[in-house]
Each structure stands twice: as structure tokens, then as C-alpha cells.
């Protein structure tokens, strides 16, 4: 959504020092990249939908509010829209109870039968089933989302598309204190984020202790088990208190009590923005272009891995279409530039940006 006040930046010429507060924008109201969400129910053989909290709009609104409170803390300008309930899917009752081995065939079938399944190219597609993951005949109640960077590519013969789906068991609970942030976790996977105890392809995260060893019958307190294992790893590897905190609060971990204060590192947020621009742009109202005056590479594509060096280059790229964000790395940008269309400039949480003579 574009705010009328964003027109205030039209034609502004900035010859003097402009300070950008952390995550501030040039307009009085931030312009967000809104991610459209579309949910569908898989019906059973009697054409009945699954039942549970995540079949209700109230639960979804609370979960989206929780996820967006995180997005507000992260300061990257992303927001999830409340889901559009786009109907029910008949003829897929074999997936009403979806076991682990059916995940990839399910996604492939859903996406190649869009007319029947309500698949939308312009939204984050969520399918609600009765049971999800686990062995056939004894399925679990969990959530998963495929990775847009590679998922289906690893699963011949379904390797003609990259992953782009989220699936929830209707009654999924999540870890204690994380009942609502499970949506933020699964949507984090959808944005290309990987569990923090695996190789998450992010440079600034530490490798957490494997939480799955705690999620076993006979372990009396899974939450304490996971936390204590992470504490031991922190002591062993000499993590700082700040590193320990972001590890235990990370939304891509399985740690408990994440509804209120979950976190992501700057590297995870960079990866999110890049994956969104590269694979998921059709689902949202804009993309992110990065600027870093200190980029020693060519600076020719505006991804976080090779950001533009000039704000002007970022602005030119971002204003070619509407709704985009220019994310500027810390530093002083001694340049004059013209903004001729509405655009949002943001700085990361990691430092100050100044524009003009220092
Ligand atoms: Zn996960």
C-alpha cells in the first residue's frame, strides 16, 4: 500500500545532509512490501474439511499479527496480509492425512492442477490438512514449507519447479509458548530460511544444538532439554550473551516461548530479501534492492551478496516498478541524487546511514 505522503519525496533533490534513522523512511508512513496469503482446505472422502484452530480466521489473524510484530522488529519492511480463504479442494482426499513421503508429490500435484486446487501464482499458498508429516498411517500434526531455492529440484521426477508451498495440520500446536509463531517459522522456510542447527546458508548464524534429540518419548521436558543443550554448546564454543540470545530466540530454531520475542539475524534477513526478489516476487507488492558503498565487488545486481554502491543506482532500479524498497548499508553516502517517483529508503538495524557531505 502506498501512502499519499510518500509523494512528498517526488522530485526531491538532496544536496544536504539527510539522516536516516534506523529503519526510517523518507515519508511519514512506511511503505511495506505486503505478502499475499491464500489458504485452502483439503477435504476428506466425505467432502468434509479438517477441524482445528488453523481452519479459523481468528487463529490466522492472531498468527499473522504475531509474525508481523516480528517483521516490525526486523525493520525490513515486509508484512504478511491476513489470508484470503480461497475455498476447499475436492478430489485430494488421499492427502487429507499427508505423510512425509507425500509432501513433494502433493506440492507438484497441487501446482500442476491449479484450477482444481486454487493454486495462485500471486500469493503464498497455504494448504490445511488433517494430519501432516510423519509415517504413513501414523501421521503427525505439524507444519512445513518448501524452500524456494531448491526443494523440489532434489526430488526427481518432480524437479521442474522450486518449492513454493506451506502446509499446516489444522490443529497444529507448535512448541509451548510458540503456538502462534509457528506460522512465522513456516513462512520463514517459505522465505528460504533453514533450521539453525543445520547448514542454513547464512554466514552470521551459529550452529545450534540439534533439538530433535530432545523431542523424543521419555524426555520429560523438551523445552528445557533443548535450552540446556544450547547453553552447553554456547559454553563450549564461547558464544557471547548476545549470540546465545539470538540462537535461543531464533524463529528458525525449535526453542520454546518464541511467540513474543523471536528474532532473526541480519544475515537471515538478507537471505529472506534475496530469495523473495529472486523467486517469490509475484507473491508480494515489491522487492528489495541493496546498496553498500563499501562493496568491493562490481555492485551490479542489487542483491545483498553484491549490492549497488550508489544510492542513486538503487533508487533508479527500485523506481522502475512500484512498491520496492532500497535497503542501505551503514555508512556515509556523499552523493547527490534525484528521486522522481515514490520509493522507500531503509537502513538496516546494524548501523547509521547518512547521505550528503559528512
Ligand atoms: Zn521448520
Amino acid at each position: 500500500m502506498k501512502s499519499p505522503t510518500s509523494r512528498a519525496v517526488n522530485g526531491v533533490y538532496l544536496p544536504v545532509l539527510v539522516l536516516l534513522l534506523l529503519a526510517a523512511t523518507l515519508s511519514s508512513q512506511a511503505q511495506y512490501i505486503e505478502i499475499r496469503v491464500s489458504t485452502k482446505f483439503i477435504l476428506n472422502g466425505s467432502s468434509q474439511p479438517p477441524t482445528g484452530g488453523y481452519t479459523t480466521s481468528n487463529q490466522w489473524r492472531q498468527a499473522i499479527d504475531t509474525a508481523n510484530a516480528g517483521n516490525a522488529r526486523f525493520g525490513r519492511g515486509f508484512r504478511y496480509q491476513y489470508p484470503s480463504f480461497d475455498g476447499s479442494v475436492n478430489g485430494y482426499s488421499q492427502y487429507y492425512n499427508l505423510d512425509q513421503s507425500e509432501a513433494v508429490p502433493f506440492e507438484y500435484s497441487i501446482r500442476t492442477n491449479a484450477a482444481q486446487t486454487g493454486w495462485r501464482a500471486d500469493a503464498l499458498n497455504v494448504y490445511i490438512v488433517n494430519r501432516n508429516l510423519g509415517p504413513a498411517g501414523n501421521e503427525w500434526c505439524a507444519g512445513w514449507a518448501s524452500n524456494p531455492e531448491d526443494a523440489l529440484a532434489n526430488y526427481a521426477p518432480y524437479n521442474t519447479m522450486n518449492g513454493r508451498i506451506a502446509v499446516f495440520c489444522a490443529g497444529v500446536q507448535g512448541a509451548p509458548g510458540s503456538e502462534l509463531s509457528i506460522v512465522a517459522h513456516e513462512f520463514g522456510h517459505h522465505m528460504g530460511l533453514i533450521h539453525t542447527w543445520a547448514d542454513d546458508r547464512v554466514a552470521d548464524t551459529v550452529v545450534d544444538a540439534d533439538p530433535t534429540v530432545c523431542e523424543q518419548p521419555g524426555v520429560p521436558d523438551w523445552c528445557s532439554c533443548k535450552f540446556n543443550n544450547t547453553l552447553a554448546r554456547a559454553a563450549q564454543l564461547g558464544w557471547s550473551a548476545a549470540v546465545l540470545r539470538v540462537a535461543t530466540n531464533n524463529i528458525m530454531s525449535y526453542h520454546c516461548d518464541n511467540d513474543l520475542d523471536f528474532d532473526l539475524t541480519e544475515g537471515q534477513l538478507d537471505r529472506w530479501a534475496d530469495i523473495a526478489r529472486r523467486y517469490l516476487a509475484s507473491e508480494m507488492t515489491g522487492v528489495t534492492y541493496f546498496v553498500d558503498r563499501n562493496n568491493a565487488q562490481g555492485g551490479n545486481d542489487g542483491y545483498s551478496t553484491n549490492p549497488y554502491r550508489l544510492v542513486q543506482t538503487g533508487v533508479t532500479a527500485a523506481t522502475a516498478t512500484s512498491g520496492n524498497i532500497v535497503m542501505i548499508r551503514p555508512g556515509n553516502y556523499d552523493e547527490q541524487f534525484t528521486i522522481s517517483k515514490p520509493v522507500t529508503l531503509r537502513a538496516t538495524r546494524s548501523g547509521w546511514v547518512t547521505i550528503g557531505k559528512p
Side-chain angles (χ1 to χ4, degrees):
M1 184 178 300
K2 235 173 267 163
S3 78
T5 52
S6 67
R7 294 183 61 81
V9 302
N10 277 11
V12 168
Y13 183 59
L14 295 166
V16 295
L17 177 69
V18 176
L19 290 176
L20 294 181
L21 292 173
L22 292 179
T25 74
L26 284 177
S27 62
S28 60
Q29 182 181 347
Q31 179 181 339
Y32 300 120
I33 293 175
E34 296 192 4
I35 302 163
R36 293 176 285 270
V37 180
S38 166
T39 61
K40 274 80 65 169
F41 302 121
I42 299 297
L43 303 181
N44 66 15
S46 305
S47 296
Q48 296 300 305
T51 57
Y54 281 99
T55 62
T56 68
S57 58
N58 182 53
Q59 176 94 356
W60 271 104
R61 292 175 82 89
Q62 290 184 63
I64 293 293
D65 287 347
T66 300
N68 280 341
N71 286 331
R73 291 194 297 276
F74 302 151
R76 298 303 187 101
F78 285 95
R79 294 291 188 276
Y80 298 111
Q81 292 182 353
Y82 290 135
S84 163
F85 287 89
D86 290 333
S88 300
V89 182
N90 259 309
Y92 273 72
S93 62
Q94 77 207 74
Y95 297 124
Y96 182 72
N97 294 318
L98 183 81
D99 71 60
Q100 183 104 31
S101 71
E102 293 173 318
V104 172
F106 174 73
E107 173 165 2
Y108 186 87
S109 178
I110 284 286
R111 290 172 59 179
T112 51
N113 292 287
Q116 183 179 355
T117 64
W119 168 267
R120 284 173 49 182
D122 68 343
L124 193 176
N125 289 269
V126 176
Y127 288 85
I128 311 292
V129 296
N130 184 57
R131 306 290 288 177
N132 189 25
L133 297 182
N138 190 25
E139 295 87 355
W140 303 341
C141 189
W144 61 267
S146 49
N147 185 332
E149 190 171 52
D150 54 18
L152 302 196
N154 297 332
Y155 293 91
Y158 307 107
N159 53 1
T160 57
M161 50 180 67
N162 289 1
R164 259 188 69 182
I165 199 174
V167 179
F168 289 85
C169 165
V172 66
Q173 294 286 320
S178 307
E179 291 87 351
L180 293 172
S181 59
I182 190 169
V183 167
H185 176 98
E186 299 308 335
F187 284 9
H189 284 311
H190 178 73
M191 298 301 162
L193 303 184
I194 297 168
H195 291 143
T196 47
W197 64 93
D199 173 10
D200 67 356
R201 306 175 200 171
V202 172
D204 71 351
T205 52
V206 291
V207 181
D208 199 357
D210 182 352
T212 61
V213 301
C214 296
E215 298 193 342
Q216 303 294 334
V219 176
D221 183 346
W222 291 4
C223 294
S224 295
C225 174
K226 288 183 274 193
F227 189 72
N228 289 335
N229 286 353
T230 297
L231 274 182
R233 190 171 181 83
Q236 181 188 10
L237 298 177
W239 296 353
S240 69
V243 168
L244 173 63
R245 178 172 170 74
V246 78
T248 54
N249 280 11
N250 203 295
I251 193 60
M252 301 318 296
S253 76
Y254 277 3
H255 285 291
C256 304
D257 298 315
N258 262 335
D259 275 354
L260 297 180
D261 64 348
F262 62 81
D263 205 354
L264 291 170
T265 68
E266 293 303 300
Q268 288 176 299
L269 293 168
D270 291 348
R271 179 174 163 83
W272 167 322
D274 285 348
I275 293 277
R277 180 182 158 203
R278 185 170 276 124
Y279 299 106
L280 308 172
S282 66
E283 301 180 2
M284 50 196 82
T285 57
V287 298
T288 305
Y289 294 90
F290 287 86
V291 173
D292 185 353
R293 68 181 299 279
N294 297 312
N295 179 18
Q297 305 177 60
N300 57 9
D301 65 20
Y303 283 96
S304 77
T305 48
N306 196 8
Y308 301 127
R309 300 182 71 172
L310 296 175
V311 178
Q312 178 71 78
T313 316
V315 165
T316 300
T319 54
T321 55
S322 65
N324 301 320
I325 286 175
V326 181
M327 182 64 62
I328 310 173
R329 299 289 196 208
N332 175 253
Y333 293 77
D334 183 13
E335 58 174 297
Q336 297 179 342
F337 59 93
T338 301
I339 301 176
S340 58
K341 293 177 184 172
V343 67
T344 298
L345 308 186
R346 284 183 171 268
T348 65
R349 297 178 296 183
S350 54
W352 288 79
V353 169
T354 58
I355 296 174
K357 299 271 181 222

